Amino acid sequence: LEQRKPISEVLADKETSPKLRKLLDKSQNIRDFASKSLYLPENESYRYYADLKRPYAVWNLIAAKEFSVEPKKWCFLFVGCLSYKGYFSQKEASKHATQLEKQGYDVHVAGARAYSTLGWFDDPLLNTMMYRSEARRAGIIFHELAHQVVYIENDTAFNEAFATVVEHEGIRRWLKANNKEKEFESYLFDK
């Protein structure tokens, strides 16, 4: 949040590369569509940009006891219990993963390109969100804004499922509005 700048400033900066300028400009069209057509929050989220100078916004640690499908839960103020724990450092996530492995957990550390502060703050567009297909960029914005609309404390599975449905339907509508309907199927299979 400290590194974010209004996108209008980044676009006005002569040092901004043409590629980033184009991506940011298109992302603002996507952001407008999110509020006007999908009725997602109209706020300052994704109206700022921050370059984190790393490939992922956070690294999420997921763990379950061996032979279990029930994930370990971590509990926090305001958001309740989650079935993952996010770290701003891959090294710290891996260190904690190693500790859990020693306690008999199966673990997985995965980079995440974005996260939501659930509307507590104006989430910025991040460099980690920018260098993907237009549909992926739109999907991340729709997904993270959906968390600001509905968030059920202590229910990670529902929260992620809800945001993913909003993401998919939003992308379908975005592509249709831009006469790119044929790209939807490739988006679904391009993970």
Side-chain angles (χ1 to χ4, degrees), residues 13-26:
D13 186 345
K14 290 180 172 79
E15 298 294 316
T16 301
S17 74
K19 181 178 181 179
L20 179 58
R21 189 180 309 277
K22 183 177 177 182
L23 292 171
L24 288 173
D25 188 51
K26 182 61 109 172

Side-chain angles (χ1 to χ4, degrees), residues 85-134:
K85 185 174 182 184
Y87 294 83
F88 292 111
S89 160
Q90 183 178 17
K91 182 178 176 180
E92 287 301 312
S94 296
K95 182 176 154 184
H96 193 185
T98 300
Q99 292 169 348
L100 288 174
E101 282 178 323
K102 290 176 183 175
Q103 296 172 31
Y105 285 89
D106 288 329
V107 300
H108 179 68
V109 174
R113 295 188 177 274
Y115 61 88
S116 174
T117 61
L118 307 177
W120 287 88
F121 302 99
D122 296 326
D123 299 319
L125 281 168
L126 304 170
N127 65 297
T128 57
M129 301 164 65
M130 298 308 295
Y131 300 106
R132 302 188 68 154
S133 73
E134 181 180 311

Side-chain angles (χ1 to χ4, degrees), residues 150-180:
V150 173
Y151 182 83
I152 307 299
E153 194 173 302
N154 303 323
D155 199 341
T156 303
F158 173 82
N159 293 326
E160 291 306 320
F162 173 77
T164 299
V165 167
V166 171
E167 171 188 340
H168 288 181
E169 181 59 18
I171 290 168
R172 188 188 68 72
R173 291 180 186 193
W174 167 256
L175 293 173
K176 183 176 181 180
N178 288 277
N179 298 312
K180 298 179 180 181

Side-chain angles (χ1 to χ4, degrees), residues 1-18:
L1 291 174
E2 290 177 6
Q3 296 177 36
R4 68 185 179 170
K5 294 180 183 175
I7 288 177
S8 58
E9 280 183 28
V10 179
L11 292 173
D13 186 345
K14 290 180 172 79
E15 298 294 316
T16 301
S17 74

